């Protein structure tokens, strides 16, 4: 299996002069094609910063991030825009859908920017909506649908370009437990059936238990790593909880 | 797709930026209206000086354009911050900055074009309305016809292009500088740390001192009638006042906050704490903008007052120089010729012929060091004086046989008022008179031609004095005209009229003819321009200031809705909540106008030194000041009320 993402000794420091926050302090890991990886950690452990660096939203202080053999830390601005458009998909905690556009238009936006043929756009949107079970709401506006539906729409938008890597930042953060479960199952479908490679940041053990591998961050460094392997989801969940207890903090917030 | 997106955004923005759109439309239509008026043939033909009007308008419009740029730039910046996450999403989806810029530009141009299109018919309507007001204001008999001229419309389009070119250039730079991270997490960003409190308090005091010094310098330059103020000092003090306005606007809120926090009684009274904290955080994040707002308000108030000064000057001049429709000073034999000419054109409603007498004892002339062409003093009989008063419907006066009244123009009043030697004077016929009264009015110039003062004596006291000048006063039923004045001047000395190189007939005469219509016309030009321009500037600036404050507050109402929800959860009833909102908005609206009011009252007090001799009294400017403040507040209140109801609606949704 090929390597989609490779981080080597990535560091991200904030602040000037005396007060320096080492948000990410030398992290290296790889993600293989078709993996569903979760990054966990207490708040302030650097997980979102790390994701932002991979997403090219933020820049690294040092180290390299390779996406499919290309070093994104050395790319110029316009190239980065192209890169984001073609190679990456994003799912945010608060959806980031455009409320002036219908769900269909939201999903199609990145294709439109990519200058796809209009018939092809419609077909693609329909087929992906079918798989994510949002076909009925395609003509509605974001404010007319539920949070769970919005997030599935965001997933569809992230997926439609066939990106090499999908980055999700607390995708279940704004959802109730039922919608969260549906979304996670959807993401599993995306991972297994549509062969999407997903890197998800979460502080919720339940969400992480859907993944194939979990990385734990503490103070900007990798603290531990566990692999689901042949374990059942429940067993994996217990294992995650154990490590969170070890990490200290945040266990209470795990439902 | 991008243009479709832009269009959709415009549709949505419409609701959010109604006030902004209204103001931009208003500003454009006012610009158009004033240009229509400035270029209208009827207005230019009002008098010779009106030719400068159009030119003045171009200069003033430059400043107006700059302030509209400020407004539009401010709002786009504002829209930008409000929509930062949307832009972040575009970038995350891989849109290039160039594409985002193109979309944003398109959106803004669409919004601008809508305002421009609406502004055109509105501008025409305003021009009709405004010209009617102006004609009324200057008591012009005939209505000015405003013609739709292409030139004004083209100029407006040019202004529009300039404004949007500047604004879009600035927002292009803003987009170029932005980073996705900042856009996506804009709402989570902490406010930037600002200067320490101590520094702020020092700055506050320093700004206050600079302000006071500037006002003192400014005041020193206006020494009164006959002293030309130095432009260098004036501009320096204006510049210092500008610095002081910004300094105070930026630091006053800290000063107030530290004061209120130190006094527990004030702090915990009612909702003070909530209001002050809210206010403080808002002012802190937009202190520079508040400085600009205060500056604009200062200009507005001063402009309105200068406008009043000119209007007051105009009224006073007309009243003193041309108290009656026609006033002629000439030899008595010629009066019948004048009367014939007048009867041909007008219906005479009243007429009066009187003489002034010569007093060779120069008791007054000595004091004022008069070295003009008249070497003696003019004395008028009480009965004639009373007839003059009766003609202008003023109450008449009485004198005992040994009393006199000194009637002086306001230019001379300081020199003559408290002079002991004038308590009693002796005329050249030996009659001694005691001073009964001191009247300071300008009429002396026309009633006793060429003098700044008149001695009013009992009828019996002129015995033995030589007749100086003879005067003919006529009131007509109809309004007199500028051209009729020329006819009368020809009668005065037909041999002394000649044509100059420019083809104008210029007449020189030892006689003096004052025709009200002519005086009005020659004064009107300059005063109309000045008054009109000041009013125009004031109107647009109030609109800009109102819009910016309103947009700021309305956005806050949606952004910080939860703050009010907290209050209501803490048990505040709706009525009390609205009262809090009312208080808070009042504080925010009042804050930027306090310092401008102080600055403007001091500066117009200084300017009054120059203007007061041409006004009916030394303190008339205070009347102007209050009147203008009311005008300003009425306009400002419109924005306040609109904001209050919008705010209420937003937080109760």
């Amino acid at each position: 299996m090929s390597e989609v993402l490779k981080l080597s000794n990535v560091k991200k420091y904030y602040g000037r002069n005396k007060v320096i926050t080492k948000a990410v302090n030398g992290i290296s890991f790889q993600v293989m094609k078709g993996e569903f990886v979760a990054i966990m950690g207490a708040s302030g452990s650097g997980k979102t910063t790390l994701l932002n660096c991979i997403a090219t939203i933020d820049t690294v202080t040092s180290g390299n991030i390779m996406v499919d053999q290309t070093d994104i830390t050395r790319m110029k601005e316009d190239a980065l825009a192209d890169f984001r458009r073609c190679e990456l998909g994003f799912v945010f905690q608060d959806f980031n859908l455009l409320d002036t556009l219908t769900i269909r238009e939201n999903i199609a936006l990145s294709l439109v920017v990519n200058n796809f043929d209009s018939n092809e756009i419609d077909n693609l949107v329909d087929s992906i909506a079918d798989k994510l079970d949002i076909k009925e709401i395609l003509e509605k506006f974001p404010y007319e649908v539920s949070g769970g539906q919005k997030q599935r729409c965001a997933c569809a938008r992230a997926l439609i370009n066939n990106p090499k890597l999908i980055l999700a930042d607390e995708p279940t953060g704004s959802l109730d437990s039922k919608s969260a479960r549906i979304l996670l199952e959807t993401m599993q479908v995306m991972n297994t059936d549509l062969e999407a490679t997903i890197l998800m940041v979460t502080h919720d053990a339940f969400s992480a238990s859907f993944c194939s591998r979990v990385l734990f961050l503490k103070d900007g460094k990798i603290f531990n790593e566990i692999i689901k392997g042949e374990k059942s989801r429940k067993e994996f969940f217990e294992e995650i909880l154990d490590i969170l207890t070890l990490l200290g903090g945040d266990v209470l917030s795990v439902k | 797709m991008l243009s479709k997106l832009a269009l959709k955004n415009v549709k949505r923005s419409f609701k959010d930026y109604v006030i902004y759109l209204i103001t931009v439309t208003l500003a454009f239509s006012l610009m158009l209206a004033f240009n229509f008026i400035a270029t209208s043939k009827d207005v230019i033909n009002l008098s010779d000086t009106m030719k400068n009007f159009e030119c003045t308008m171009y200069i003033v419009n430059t400043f107006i354009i700059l302030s509209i740029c400020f407004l539009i730039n401010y709002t786009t910046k504002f829209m930008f911050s409000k929509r930062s996450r949307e832009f972040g999403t575009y970038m995350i989806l891989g849109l290039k900055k160039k594409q985002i810029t193109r979309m944003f530009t398109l959106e803004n141009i669409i919004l601008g074009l809508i305002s421009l299109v609406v502004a055109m018919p509105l501008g025409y309507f305003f021009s009709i309305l405004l010209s009617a007001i102006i004609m009324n204001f200057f008591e012009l008999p005939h209505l000015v016809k405003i013609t739709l001229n292409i030139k004004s419309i083209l100029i407006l389009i040019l202004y529009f292009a300039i404004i949007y070119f500047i604004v879009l250039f600035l927002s292009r730079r803003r987009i170029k500088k932005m980073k996705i991270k900042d856009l996506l997490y804009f709402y989570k960003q902490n406010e930037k740390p600002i200067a320490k409190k101590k520094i702020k308090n020092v700055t506050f005091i320093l700004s206050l001192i600079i302000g006071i010094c500037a006002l003192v310098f400014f005041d020193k330059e206006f020494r009164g009638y006959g002293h030309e103020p130095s432009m260098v000092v004036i501009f320096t003090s204006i510049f210092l006042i500008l610095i002081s306005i910004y300094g105070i606007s930026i630091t006053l809120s800290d000063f107030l906050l530290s004061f209120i926090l130190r006094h527990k009684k004030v702090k915990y009274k009612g909702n003070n704490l909530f209001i002050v904290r809210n206010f403080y955080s808002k002012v802190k994040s937009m202190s520079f903008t508040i400085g600009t707002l205060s500056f604009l308000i200062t200009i507005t108030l001063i402009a309105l007052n200068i406008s009043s000064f000119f209007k007051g000057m105009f009224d006073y001049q007309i009243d003193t120089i041309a108290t009656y429709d026609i006033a002629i000073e000439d030899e008595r034999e010629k009066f019948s010729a004048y009367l014939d000419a007048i009867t041909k054109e007008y219906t005479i409603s009243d007429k009066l012929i009187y003489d002034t007498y010569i007093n060779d004892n120069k008791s007054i002339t000595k004091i004022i060091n008069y070295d003009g062409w008249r070497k003696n003093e003019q004395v008028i009989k009480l009965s004639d004086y009373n007839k003059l008063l009766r003609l202008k419907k003023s109450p008449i006066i009485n004198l005992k046989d040994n009393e006199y009244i000194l009637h002086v123009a306001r230019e001379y009043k300081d020199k003559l008022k408290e002079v002991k030697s004038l308590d009693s004077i002796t005329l050249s016929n030996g009659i001694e008179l005691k001073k009964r009264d001191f009247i300071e009015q300008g009429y002396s110039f026309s009633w006793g031609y060429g003098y700044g003062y008149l001695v009013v004596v009992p009828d019996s006291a002129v015995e033995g004095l030589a007749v100086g000048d003879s005067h003919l006063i006529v009131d007509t039923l109809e309004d007199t005209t500028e051209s009729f004045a020329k006819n009368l001047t020809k009668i005065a000395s037909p041999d002394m009229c000649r044509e100059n190189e420019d083809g104008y007939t210029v007449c020189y005469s030892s006689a003096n003819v004052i025709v009200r219509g002519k005086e009005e016309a020659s004064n009107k030009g300059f005063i109309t321009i000045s008054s009109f321009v000041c009013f125009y500037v004031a109107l647009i600036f109030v609109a800009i200031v109102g819009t910016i404050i309103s947009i700021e507050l309305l956005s806050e109402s949606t952004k910080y809705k939860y703050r009010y929800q907290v209050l209501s959860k803490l048990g505040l009833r709706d009525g009390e909540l609205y009262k809090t909102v009312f208080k808070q908005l009042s504080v925010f609206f009042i804050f930027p106008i306090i310092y401008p009011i102080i600055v403007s009252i001091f500066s117009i007090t200084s300017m009054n030194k120059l203007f007061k001799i041409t006004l009916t009294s030394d303190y008339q400017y205070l009347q102007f000041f209050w009147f203008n403040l009311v005008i300003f507040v009425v306009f400002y209140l419109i924005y306040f009320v609109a904001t209050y109801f919008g705010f209420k609606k937003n937080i109760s949704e």
Side-chain angles (χ1 to χ4, degrees):
Chain A
M1 223 181 270
S2 62
E3 198 179 75
V4 174
L5 176 71
K6 184 182 177 195
L7 277 75
S8 27
N9 202 23
V10 171
K11 288 180 181 173
K12 175 72 189 178
Y13 294 171
Y14 286 112
R16 272 171 292 178
N17 306 332
K18 288 172 194 163
V19 199
I20 289 180
T21 314
K22 297 179 178 178
V24 174
N25 194 11
I27 286 183
S28 308
F29 69 88
Q30 291 116 328
V31 175
M32 297 300 178
K33 191 171 184 327
E35 266 197 298
F36 187 0
V37 181
I39 298 176
M40 290 198 75
S43 23
S45 60
K47 51 190 192 313
T48 297
T49 308
L50 182 65
L51 192 82
N52 281 345
C53 289
I54 300 170
T56 70
I57 290 175
D58 213 341
T59 53
V60 297
T61 309
S62 71
N64 295 314
I65 300 174
M66 311 284 282
V67 175
D68 206 29
Q69 319 298 331
T70 331
D71 189 349
I72 60 167
T73 57
R74 285 159 201 272
M75 280 168 121
K76 288 263 155 39
E77 206 174 277
D78 270 1
L80 277 178
D82 284 332
F83 172 78
R84 280 194 292 269
R85 200 173 63 210
C86 305
E87 317 283 358
L88 295 180
F90 295 92
V91 181
F92 292 94
Q93 176 175 351
D94 29 23
F95 326 126
N96 278 4
L97 296 177
L98 301 178
D99 49 9
T100 41
L101 301 184
T102 61
I103 299 287
R104 176 187 288 282
E105 289 165 336
N106 262 297
I107 297 172
L109 195 58
S110 61
L111 293 182
V112 175
V113 178
N114 273 337
N115 291 324
F116 269 59
D117 176 66
S118 51
N119 284 329
E120 204 182 339
I121 292 177
D122 267 351
N123 289 339
L124 276 171
V125 173
D126 283 334
S127 83
I128 203 136
D130 202 21
K131 282 176 194 135
L132 301 190
D133 199 22
I134 44 173
K135 216 169 176 184
E136 310 79 60
I137 56 160
L138 277 179
E139 308 311 325
K140 289 190 176 171
F141 282 95
Y143 54 85
E144 295 173 306
V145 304
S146 74
Q149 287 168 322
K150 269 188 221 170
Q151 199 58 301
R152 270 179 282 150
C153 162
C155 286
R157 184 180 64 185
L159 208 56
I160 198 153
N161 264 345
N162 249 329
K164 296 217 168 70
L165 181 63
I166 291 177
L167 301 169
D169 186 5
E170 306 266 11
T172 56
S174 301
L175 303 180
D176 61 275
S177 57
K178 192 181 163 224
S179 306
R181 189 186 194 100
I182 297 173
L183 179 77
L184 288 161
E185 281 163 5
T186 309
M187 286 176 80
Q188 240 175 4
V189 170
M190 284 158 66
N191 177 241
T192 49
D193 298 2
L194 304 172
E195 292 168 351
T197 310
I198 305 173
L199 181 64
M200 173 172 80
V201 158
T202 181
H203 67 270
D204 170 25
F206 178 76
S207 299
S209 68
F210 281 81
C211 301
S212 52
R213 180 155 64 112
V214 181
L215 291 166
F216 294 89
L217 293 194
K218 189 177 184 181
D219 302 330
K221 287 182 176 164
I222 295 183
F223 171 80
N224 205 342
E225 175 180 2
I226 53 171
I227 296 167
K228 189 178 178 192
E230 298 304 312
K231 281 166 260 182
S232 73
R233 209 174 59 74
K234 191 151 187 302
E235 285 167 346
F236 195 45
F237 177 62
E238 300 290 340
E239 201 177 338
I240 294 168
L241 281 185
D242 287 343
I243 294 182
L244 283 179
T245 321
L246 249 169
L247 263 170
D250 248 30
V251 182
L252 285 178
S253 64
V254 177
K255 287 158 202 120
Chain B
M1 182 71 187
L2 277 183
S3 46
K4 196 178 155 196
L5 204 59
L7 257 173
K8 285 197 170 197
N9 287 334
V10 167
K11 226 161 108 191
R12 184 194 52 181
S13 307
F14 235 92
K15 249 195 324 200
D16 289 349
Y17 306 111
V18 176
I19 293 195
Y20 155 76
L21 273 171
I22 290 176
T23 302
V24 174
T25 311
L26 216 67
F28 281 142
S29 44
L30 281 175
M31 269 174 126
L32 186 66
F34 280 86
N35 281 327
F36 271 151
I37 295 172
T39 51
S40 130
K41 278 206 183 82
D42 279 359
V43 173
I44 291 175
N45 290 338
L46 272 179
S47 81
D48 291 348
T49 42
M50 289 305 269
K51 305 232 158 54
N52 305 322
F53 192 28
E54 209 181 327
C55 183
T56 315
M57 286 302 286
Y58 291 133
I59 298 168
V60 172
N61 275 337
T62 315
F63 289 103
I64 300 284
I65 287 174
L66 285 179
S67 14
I68 294 180
C69 277
F70 167 73
L71 170 73
I72 298 182
N73 185 44
Y74 177 83
T75 0
T76 43
K77 210 160 76 188
F78 188 77
M79 280 194 219
F80 214 86
S81 65
K82 214 176 162 184
R83 291 170 57 189
S84 61
R85 278 181 69 190
E86 184 189 326
F87 288 124
T89 309
Y90 292 139
M91 284 182 78
I92 269 292
L93 287 174
L95 252 77
K96 293 193 176 110
K97 282 182 180 172
K98 263 180 271 167
Q99 290 169 301
I100 297 176
T101 312
R102 217 178 302 150
M103 191 177 73
F104 194 67
T105 309
L106 201 63
E107 268 178 58
N108 274 292
I109 288 180
I110 293 172
L111 278 173
L113 280 176
I114 292 171
S115 314
L116 186 68
V117 169
V118 178
M120 290 195 182
L122 206 64
Y124 182 62
F125 170 73
F126 275 152
S127 63
I128 293 170
L129 194 77
L130 278 170
S131 67
I133 293 172
I134 291 161
M135 295 307 122
N136 202 314
F137 193 62
F138 292 102
E139 290 151 13
L140 297 182
H142 50 93
L143 206 81
V144 168
K145 208 175 134 236
I146 300 293
T147 40
L148 271 174
N149 63 49
I150 299 296
K151 194 178 157 200
S152 297
I153 294 176
L154 287 179
I155 287 174
L156 180 73
I157 292 172
L158 178 73
Y159 289 161
F160 173 84
I162 294 172
I163 290 172
Y164 273 84
F165 180 78
I166 296 174
V167 167
L168 291 173
F169 174 77
L170 290 173
S171 44
R172 217 188 178 84
R173 244 188 31 186
R174 206 170 298 133
I175 293 178
K176 224 174 190 171
K177 272 199 264 171
M178 72 190 183
K179 291 187 185 130
I180 309 184
K181 195 185 156 219
D182 299 336
L183 290 174
L184 283 175
Y185 301 107
F186 187 84
Y187 62 106
K188 282 183 187 165
Q189 254 171 32
N190 289 323
E191 269 160 27
K192 282 181 206 138
I194 37 174
K196 288 201 181 89
K197 267 218 177 98
K198 215 172 179 181
I199 299 174
K200 285 216 147 192
N201 284 347
V202 171
T203 317
F204 174 75
I205 292 165
L206 214 68
S207 308
L208 203 64
I209 293 171
I210 291 176
I212 293 170
C213 289
L215 285 173
V216 170
F217 287 150
F218 190 75
D219 187 63
K220 285 262 156 65
E221 270 318 298
F222 288 92
R223 263 162 294 193
Y225 180 66
H227 296 272
E228 184 99 359
S230 139
M231 278 301 142
V232 178
V233 180
I234 300 251
F235 279 111
T236 312
S237 27
I238 290 174
F239 181 69
L240 289 177
I241 289 172
L242 181 69
I243 291 175
S244 149
I245 287 175
Y246 274 100
I248 287 191
S249 307
I250 291 167
T251 52
L252 181 61
S253 64
D254 284 83
F255 201 77
L256 286 178
L257 185 79
S258 53
F259 173 82
I260 288 182
L261 290 187
R262 238 179 280 142
H263 294 80
K264 281 197 174 158
K265 265 196 184 154
V266 190
K267 181 177 166 185
Y268 292 122
K269 196 174 163 241
N271 308 316
N272 280 2
L273 190 62
F274 180 81
I275 291 168
V276 168
R277 279 288 182 192
N278 253 346
F279 174 68
Y280 177 69
S281 75
K282 194 96 199 92
V283 170
K284 224 168 56 175
S285 61
M286 57 175 293
S287 49
F288 194 78
T289 310
I290 291 198
T292 309
L293 295 183
S294 293
F295 179 58
L296 291 180
I297 293 171
T298 313
I299 294 180
T300 307
L301 287 175
I302 292 179
L304 278 173
N305 278 302
I306 291 178
S307 173
S308 292
F309 272 141
F310 284 129
K311 163 85 171 116
M313 206 163 105
F314 172 70
D315 288 346
Y316 182 68
Q317 269 177 13
I318 293 302
D319 190 37
T320 54
I321 295 173
T323 321
Y324 309 102
D325 286 325
I326 297 162
I328 297 163
E329 181 257 300
D330 206 344
E331 288 144 25
R332 265 195 189 241
E333 304 83 68
K334 281 190 175 171
F335 285 169
S336 59
Y338 285 116
L339 283 169
D340 285 346
I342 296 168
T343 337
K344 258 184 221 157
E345 293 271 338
Y346 305 110
T347 326
I348 296 177
S349 62
D350 259 316
K351 70 171 186 197
L352 171 67
I353 295 173
Y354 68 93
D355 294 323
T356 51
Y357 299 86
I358 294 170
N359 171 28
D360 289 320
N361 283 358
K362 296 164 209 158
S363 30
I364 299 162
T365 322
K366 254 190 302 196
I367 293 162
I368 57 172
N369 275 328
Y370 178 81
D371 56 353
W373 51 281
R374 301 253 187 176
K375 294 298 178 202
N376 43 41
E377 286 168 12
Q378 293 224 13
V379 175
I380 185 171
K381 279 197 293 193
L382 178 68
S383 58
D384 290 334
Y385 187 77
N386 275 338
K387 278 179 203 156
L388 284 167
L389 287 177
R390 211 177 289 133
L391 260 187
K392 70 178 204 79
K393 309 215 161 43
S394 302
I396 58 164
I397 50 172
N398 292 310
L399 275 182
K400 281 185 199 144
D401 279 350
N402 61 345
E403 288 175 337
Y404 83 101
I405 287 174
L406 187 55
H407 179 132
V408 304
R410 291 170 52 74
E411 286 92 318
Y412 295 122
K413 71 169 177 72
D414 292 334
K415 280 184 179 163
L416 294 176
K417 191 154 191 179
E418 302 295 338
V419 180
K420 274 269 176 286
S421 66
L422 294 179
D423 284 349
S424 142
I425 58 166
T426 313
L427 301 177
S428 47
N429 59 5
I431 295 176
E432 202 182 318
L433 297 168
K434 271 190 278 176
K435 190 167 79 181
R436 154 88 178 263
D437 224 340
F438 186 85
I439 297 174
E440 33 170 284
Q441 276 171 338
Y443 306 113
S444 53
F445 279 113
S446 59
W447 292 358
Y449 184 71
Y451 286 81
Y453 49 88
L454 261 179
V455 179
V456 185
V457 300
D459 287 13
S460 55
V462 298
E463 223 163 283
L465 294 181
V467 170
D469 302 322
S470 295
H471 296 260
L472 168 67
I473 303 281
V474 174
D475 263 345
T476 59
L477 286 180
E478 300 85 358
D479 285 321
T480 48
T481 62
E482 202 173 352
S483 57
F484 181 67
K486 283 179 190 152
N487 289 345
L488 283 186
T489 317
K490 273 180 194 155
I491 295 172
S493 48
D495 50 316
M496 287 191 74
C497 285
R498 60 166 175 256
E499 215 162 87
N500 69 3
E501 305 108 63
D502 302 328
Y504 290 107
T505 310
V506 184
C507 291
Y508 302 92
S509 163
S510 58
N512 182 58
V513 175
I514 298 169
V515 175
R516 193 183 186 119
K518 186 193 163 203
E519 297 302 322
E520 279 183 344
S522 58
N523 276 307
K524 215 166 277 164
F526 170 70
I527 290 163
T528 315
I529 295 171
S530 322
S531 200
F532 190 70
V533 162
C534 292
F535 200 67
Y536 167 51
V537 169
L539 215 61
I540 288 189
F541 281 4
V542 174
I544 290 174
V545 170
T547 310
I548 288 178
I549 297 183
S550 225
I551 289 180
E552 265 296 333
L553 290 170
L554 286 178
S555 79
E556 189 198 28
S557 68
T558 39
K559 201 165 157 195
Y560 300 118
K561 209 164 151 181
Y562 71 90
R563 288 186 187 168
Y564 297 91
Q565 283 164 354
V566 166
L567 279 187
S568 117
K569 277 175 192 155
L570 285 173
L572 212 61
R573 269 176 283 118
D574 269 5
E576 286 170 323
L577 192 67
Y578 294 147
K579 228 161 92 189
T580 311
V581 169
F582 185 82
K583 260 200 219 165
Q584 203 193 330
L585 296 191
S586 311
V587 169
F588 207 83
F589 267 88
I590 291 170
F591 181 71
I593 68 173
I594 300 172
Y595 195 51
I597 287 180
I598 297 171
V599 170
S600 63
I601 188 146
F602 277 110
S603 47
I604 70 159
T605 304
S606 307
M607 283 190 257
N608 184 50
K609 286 195 210 159
L610 198 68
F611 280 100
K612 68 182 176 187
I613 54 151
T614 58
L615 300 174
T616 49
S617 87
D618 283 1
Y619 301 102
Q620 200 190 4
Y621 79 102
L622 288 175
Q623 277 171 35
F624 292 155
F625 180 75
W626 291 119
F627 175 73
N628 288 319
L629 196 61
V630 169
I631 291 186
F632 172 80
V633 168
V634 166
F635 277 113
Y636 204 53
L637 262 182
I638 297 173
Y639 281 92
F640 175 78
V641 171
T643 311
Y644 176 66
F645 284 106
F647 204 102
K648 240 170 88 169
K649 200 179 133 230
N650 282 348
I651 61 163
S652 57
E653 248 167 26

